[in-house]
Amino acid sequence: MHLLASHFDGWTTHLLRWNIVAAHGTAIIEASWYDQGTEREESFEIDFPDLRIQECQEVLALLKPVYNGCLEDVPIYELSVSDNDRVLTTRVYEGIHWPDEIKPEIDSFRRIWEPIDKEVEKFLAIPGRFKKRKK
């Protein structure tokens, strides 16, 4: 089982973009962003248990492939899980006010997405986003 995740901030000061490839208990993260006009790049490896991938797969199986918040220049999140039988992918174009019938699905996506996002950003030294970089 493999997990692929990608994030793009949208048109922000940092233009943060990162990708994760996870399998067999580990994830490789590649990130790039701008810091006062200078492009920064970093890659690192973290523990990523297969159970987390399975949890993501279970949630993605209940979601649509695309959710569009109908705003421009906002974050884009994509999460994909594949195994021998299928590939499940959901892409979310961030929004502010999701319709009531879609909000539970967006909340489900966020429950699996936000822990991944927080974990990645802990490792990045991006001014104004986190005070300390995790060692």
Side-chain angles (χ1 to χ4, degrees), residues 55-56 58-60 62-63 67 79 90 92 102-115:
E55 290 169 2
C56 290
E58 290 167 4
V59 171
L60 292 178
L62 302 173
L63 300 178
Y67 294 91
L79 190 56
T90 296
V92 175
I102 293 175
K103 190 166 180 352
E105 295 169 35
I106 296 300
D107 290 344
S108 291
F109 182 85
R110 285 185 175 142
R111 274 192 294 280
I112 57 173
W113 180 265
E114 288 175 359

Short mmCIF file of all heavy atoms in Angstrom, two decimals, residues 55-56 58-60 62-63 67 79 90 92 102-115:
data_model
loop_
_atom_site.label_atom_id
_atom_site.label_comp_id
_atom_site.label_asym_id
_atom_site.label_seq_id
_atom_site.Cartn_x
_atom_site.Cartn_y
_atom_site.Cartn_z
N GLU A 55 -5.86 3.96 7.21
CA GLU A 55 -6.90 4.88 7.69
C GLU A 55 -7.27 5.88 6.59
O GLU A 55 -8.45 6.18 6.39
CB GLU A 55 -6.44 5.61 8.94
CG GLU A 55 -6.35 4.72 10.17
CD GLU A 55 -5.63 5.38 11.34
OE1 GLU A 55 -5.22 6.56 11.23
OE2 GLU A 55 -5.49 4.72 12.37
N CYS A 56 -6.26 6.39 5.90
CA CYS A 56 -6.51 7.32 4.80
C CYS A 56 -7.32 6.63 3.70
O CYS A 56 -8.25 7.21 3.14
CB CYS A 56 -5.20 7.87 4.24
SG CYS A 56 -4.35 9.00 5.36
N GLU A 58 -9.42 4.17 3.98
CA GLU A 58 -10.80 3.97 4.41
C GLU A 58 -11.63 5.26 4.25
O GLU A 58 -12.78 5.21 3.83
CB GLU A 58 -10.83 3.49 5.86
CG GLU A 58 -10.32 2.07 6.01
CD GLU A 58 -10.05 1.67 7.44
OE1 GLU A 58 -10.33 2.47 8.38
OE2 GLU A 58 -9.55 0.54 7.64
N VAL A 59 -11.02 6.40 4.55
CA VAL A 59 -11.73 7.67 4.40
C VAL A 59 -11.89 8.02 2.93
O VAL A 59 -12.98 8.40 2.48
CB VAL A 59 -11.02 8.80 5.17
CG1 VAL A 59 -11.63 10.16 4.85
CG2 VAL A 59 -11.07 8.54 6.68
N LEU A 60 -10.82 7.89 2.15
CA LEU A 60 -10.89 8.24 0.73
C LEU A 60 -11.93 7.40 -0.02
O LEU A 60 -12.54 7.88 -0.97
CB LEU A 60 -9.53 8.09 0.07
CG LEU A 60 -8.45 9.08 0.50
CD1 LEU A 60 -7.14 8.78 -0.21
CD2 LEU A 60 -8.88 10.52 0.27
N LEU A 62 -14.77 6.79 0.79
CA LEU A 62 -16.09 7.39 0.98
C LEU A 62 -16.22 8.78 0.36
O LEU A 62 -17.29 9.39 0.44
CB LEU A 62 -16.39 7.48 2.48
CG LEU A 62 -16.35 6.15 3.25
CD1 LEU A 62 -16.48 6.41 4.74
CD2 LEU A 62 -17.41 5.20 2.74
N LEU A 63 -15.13 9.26 -0.24
CA LEU A 63 -15.12 10.64 -0.75
C LEU A 63 -15.13 10.69 -2.27
O LEU A 63 -14.80 9.72 -2.94
CB LEU A 63 -13.89 11.38 -0.23
CG LEU A 63 -13.77 11.50 1.28
CD1 LEU A 63 -12.48 12.22 1.66
CD2 LEU A 63 -14.98 12.20 1.88
N TYR A 67 -13.23 18.15 -4.77
CA TYR A 67 -14.08 19.12 -4.08
C TYR A 67 -13.53 20.49 -4.41
O TYR A 67 -12.35 20.75 -4.19
CB TYR A 67 -14.05 18.89 -2.56
CG TYR A 67 -14.68 17.58 -2.16
CD1 TYR A 67 -13.90 16.44 -2.05
CD2 TYR A 67 -16.04 17.49 -1.91
CE1 TYR A 67 -14.46 15.22 -1.69
CE2 TYR A 67 -16.61 16.27 -1.55
CZ TYR A 67 -15.82 15.15 -1.44
OH TYR A 67 -16.38 13.95 -1.09
N LEU A 79 -4.67 13.83 -1.93
CA LEU A 79 -4.27 12.64 -1.20
C LEU A 79 -4.70 11.43 -2.02
O LEU A 79 -5.83 11.37 -2.52
CB LEU A 79 -4.97 12.63 0.16
CG LEU A 79 -4.54 11.61 1.18
CD1 LEU A 79 -3.05 11.68 1.47
CD2 LEU A 79 -5.32 11.83 2.47
N THR A 90 -8.38 11.95 -3.81
CA THR A 90 -9.25 13.09 -3.57
C THR A 90 -8.41 14.35 -3.61
O THR A 90 -7.35 14.42 -2.98
CB THR A 90 -9.97 12.99 -2.21
OG1 THR A 90 -10.84 11.85 -2.24
CG2 THR A 90 -10.79 14.23 -1.92
N VAL A 92 -8.74 18.55 -3.05
CA VAL A 92 -9.59 19.59 -2.46
C VAL A 92 -8.99 20.96 -2.79
O VAL A 92 -7.84 21.23 -2.45
CB VAL A 92 -9.71 19.43 -0.93
CG1 VAL A 92 -10.50 20.59 -0.33
CG2 VAL A 92 -10.36 18.10 -0.59
N ILE A 102 -22.01 18.88 1.67
CA ILE A 102 -20.61 18.50 1.40
C ILE A 102 -19.73 18.64 2.65
O ILE A 102 -18.72 17.97 2.79
CB ILE A 102 -20.05 19.35 0.25
CG1 ILE A 102 -20.77 18.99 -1.04
CG2 ILE A 102 -18.54 19.15 0.08
CD1 ILE A 102 -20.39 19.83 -2.23
N LYS A 103 -20.11 19.49 3.57
CA LYS A 103 -19.28 19.78 4.74
C LYS A 103 -18.83 18.53 5.50
O LYS A 103 -17.66 18.44 5.87
CB LYS A 103 -20.00 20.75 5.68
CG LYS A 103 -19.09 21.25 6.77
CD LYS A 103 -19.67 22.42 7.48
CE LYS A 103 -18.83 22.98 8.58
NZ LYS A 103 -17.65 22.29 9.00
N PRO A 104 -19.70 17.52 5.74
CA PRO A 104 -19.21 16.32 6.44
C PRO A 104 -18.08 15.61 5.68
O PRO A 104 -17.16 15.06 6.29
CB PRO A 104 -20.44 15.43 6.54
CG PRO A 104 -21.60 16.37 6.45
CD PRO A 104 -21.14 17.48 5.54
N GLU A 105 -18.14 15.63 4.35
CA GLU A 105 -17.09 15.00 3.56
C GLU A 105 -15.78 15.80 3.68
O GLU A 105 -14.70 15.21 3.79
CB GLU A 105 -17.53 14.89 2.11
CG GLU A 105 -18.73 13.96 1.93
CD GLU A 105 -19.34 14.02 0.55
OE1 GLU A 105 -18.59 14.19 -0.43
OE2 GLU A 105 -20.58 13.89 0.46
N ILE A 106 -15.88 17.11 3.64
CA ILE A 106 -14.69 17.97 3.81
C ILE A 106 -14.10 17.76 5.20
O ILE A 106 -12.88 17.64 5.36
CB ILE A 106 -15.04 19.45 3.57
CG1 ILE A 106 -15.47 19.66 2.12
CG2 ILE A 106 -13.88 20.36 3.95
CD1 ILE A 106 -14.43 19.30 1.07
N ASP A 107 -14.95 17.66 6.21
CA ASP A 107 -14.47 17.41 7.58
C ASP A 107 -13.76 16.06 7.67
O ASP A 107 -12.73 15.94 8.34
CB ASP A 107 -15.63 17.47 8.57
CG ASP A 107 -16.18 18.87 8.75
OD1 ASP A 107 -15.51 19.86 8.36
OD2 ASP A 107 -17.31 18.99 9.28
N SER A 108 -14.27 15.05 6.99
CA SER A 108 -13.61 13.74 6.98
C SER A 108 -12.24 13.83 6.33
O SER A 108 -11.26 13.26 6.83
CB SER A 108 -14.45 12.71 6.22
OG SER A 108 -15.61 12.42 6.92
N PHE A 109 -12.16 14.53 5.21
CA PHE A 109 -10.87 14.72 4.55
C PHE A 109 -9.90 15.45 5.48
O PHE A 109 -8.74 15.04 5.62
CB PHE A 109 -11.04 15.50 3.24
CG PHE A 109 -9.75 15.69 2.49
CD1 PHE A 109 -9.29 14.71 1.64
CD2 PHE A 109 -8.98 16.84 2.66
CE1 PHE A 109 -8.08 14.86 0.96
CE2 PHE A 109 -7.78 17.01 1.98
CZ PHE A 109 -7.33 16.01 1.13
N ARG A 110 -10.36 16.51 6.11
CA ARG A 110 -9.48 17.28 7.01
C ARG A 110 -8.96 16.45 8.18
O ARG A 110 -7.85 16.66 8.63
CB ARG A 110 -10.21 18.52 7.52
CG ARG A 110 -10.33 19.59 6.47
CD ARG A 110 -10.95 20.84 7.02
NE ARG A 110 -10.93 21.88 6.00
CZ ARG A 110 -11.89 22.74 5.81
NH1 ARG A 110 -12.96 22.74 6.58
NH2 ARG A 110 -11.78 23.65 4.87
N ARG A 111 -9.79 15.53 8.67
CA ARG A 111 -9.34 14.69 9.80
C ARG A 111 -8.12 13.85 9.44
O ARG A 111 -7.28 13.57 10.29
CB ARG A 111 -10.48 13.79 10.28
CG ARG A 111 -11.38 14.46 11.29
CD ARG A 111 -12.32 13.49 11.97
NE ARG A 111 -13.31 12.89 11.08
CZ ARG A 111 -14.43 13.49 10.69
NH1 ARG A 111 -14.70 14.69 11.10
NH2 ARG A 111 -15.25 12.87 9.89
N ILE A 112 -8.00 13.45 8.19
CA ILE A 112 -6.81 12.68 7.80
C ILE A 112 -5.72 13.59 7.25
O ILE A 112 -4.54 13.27 7.35
CB ILE A 112 -7.14 11.54 6.81
CG1 ILE A 112 -7.82 12.04 5.55
CG2 ILE A 112 -7.94 10.46 7.51
CD1 ILE A 112 -8.03 11.00 4.47
N TRP A 113 -6.11 14.72 6.66
CA TRP A 113 -5.13 15.62 6.05
C TRP A 113 -4.37 16.44 7.08
O TRP A 113 -3.15 16.57 7.00
CB TRP A 113 -5.82 16.57 5.06
CG TRP A 113 -4.84 17.48 4.42
CD1 TRP A 113 -4.50 18.75 4.82
CD2 TRP A 113 -3.97 17.17 3.34
NE1 TRP A 113 -3.51 19.25 4.02
CE2 TRP A 113 -3.17 18.29 3.11
CE3 TRP A 113 -3.80 16.04 2.53
CZ2 TRP A 113 -2.21 18.32 2.10
CZ3 TRP A 113 -2.86 16.09 1.53
CH2 TRP A 113 -2.07 17.22 1.33
N GLU A 114 -5.06 17.05 8.03
CA GLU A 114 -4.42 18.01 8.93
C GLU A 114 -3.27 17.42 9.75
O GLU A 114 -2.25 18.08 9.91
CB GLU A 114 -5.47 18.69 9.80
CG GLU A 114 -6.29 19.67 8.97
CD GLU A 114 -7.44 20.32 9.71
OE1 GLU A 114 -7.65 20.01 10.91
OE2 GLU A 114 -8.12 21.15 9.07
N PRO A 115 -3.37 16.20 10.26
CA PRO A 115 -2.20 15.65 10.97
C PRO A 115 -0.97 15.50 10.07
O PRO A 115 0.16 15.72 10.51
CB PRO A 115 -2.68 14.28 11.47
CG PRO A 115 -4.16 14.39 11.52
CD PRO A 115 -4.54 15.31 10.40
#
